[in-house]
Amino acid sequence: MFKSSVNKKSHPVRRKLALLSVIGLGMVSVPFALAAPAQAAVTNYACSVTPLKPVFAGFNSSGVKLVDYRIQVRCYSDRYINITQERWEEDDWPNGDDHLGTSYFSRHLNYASGLVTISNVRTLVNGEIGNEEVYQKTRWQEGSNGIWSAYTGWRTSSSTSMSN
């Protein structure tokens, strides 16, 4: 009996110690939790790159449809920029999306360049029965005075559905 009453009295003490431990850990982690989003949101990039929704661009001499995978770029400071563009055809689950190709672009831009649109016209790949749903992904890095940033994460455009 004595043992049981000791345990009953020690539970509130254990609970308080556990609560203090959790609060202590919480207080230590708060600065890190608050700092992480701020660091993730701040970039040193002086350019913005937007992959636009692919558009129909006519037909080639063989009658095959053409698609223009456009990219809009604006730099707010004197920068060299390297862009990687991947072109994709979207498929429903369980099939994975089909990689159609990769292109690379390099430009020297500054604020006076304004909004620049890079066109990349390609033939529409006929990879399935029915419409092709095409989109693109882009990432980029910037350079100034011989110093280059890391590549950004991938940015994905909206998808366009085109008949073959």
Side-chain angles (χ1 to χ4, degrees):
M1 248 197 197
F2 181 74
K3 207 176 202 181
S4 145
S5 65
V6 170
N7 285 342
K8 284 184 182 180
K9 288 183 180 180
S10 66
H11 273 317
V13 172
R14 286 185 195 160
R15 286 184 190 146
K16 287 179 184 176
L17 287 174
L19 180 61
L20 287 174
S21 297
V22 169
I23 291 171
L25 286 172
M27 293 187 72
V28 168
S29 64
V30 165
F32 295 105
L34 293 175
Q39 290 173 352
V42 176
T43 65
N44 293 326
Y45 295 102
C47 298
S48 63
V49 176
T50 305
L52 301 176
K53 182 177 182 177
V55 295
F56 172 71
F59 297 91
N60 68 10
S61 59
S62 301
V64 177
K65 283 189 180 180
L66 299 173
V67 181
D68 191 356
Y69 297 89
R70 299 167 302 143
I71 305 168
Q72 282 189 336
V73 184
R74 179 178 300 234
C75 292
Y76 300 96
S77 188
D78 189 43
R79 292 286 189 266
Y80 290 89
I81 187 165
N82 293 323
I83 301 169
T84 303
Q85 176 195 59
E86 290 185 349
R87 297 174 310 281
W88 291 85
E89 197 279 323
E90 190 174 55
D91 285 322
D92 292 329
W93 186 87
N95 299 322
D97 291 356
D98 298 321
H99 182 246
L100 303 176
T102 303
S103 298
Y104 304 93
F105 306 95
S106 293
R107 299 286 190 276
H108 177 222
L109 301 170
N110 56 38
Y111 185 74
S113 302
L115 186 63
V116 174
T117 302
I118 300 170
S119 285
N120 189 9
V121 177
R122 300 294 177 144
T123 56
L124 180 64
V125 175
N126 187 0
E128 61 191 9
I129 298 172
N131 289 357
E132 304 292 337
E133 296 78 24
V134 292
Y135 67 95
Q136 65 173 313
K137 295 180 185 180
T138 59
R139 67 180 186 157
W140 77 93
Q141 72 173 162
E142 301 174 18
S144 178
N145 298 319
I147 299 172
W148 287 89
S149 70
Y151 271 93
T152 64
W154 290 100
R155 304 247 172 115
T156 304
S157 72
S158 297
S159 178
T160 298
S161 180
M162 291 188 185
S163 62
N164 290 321

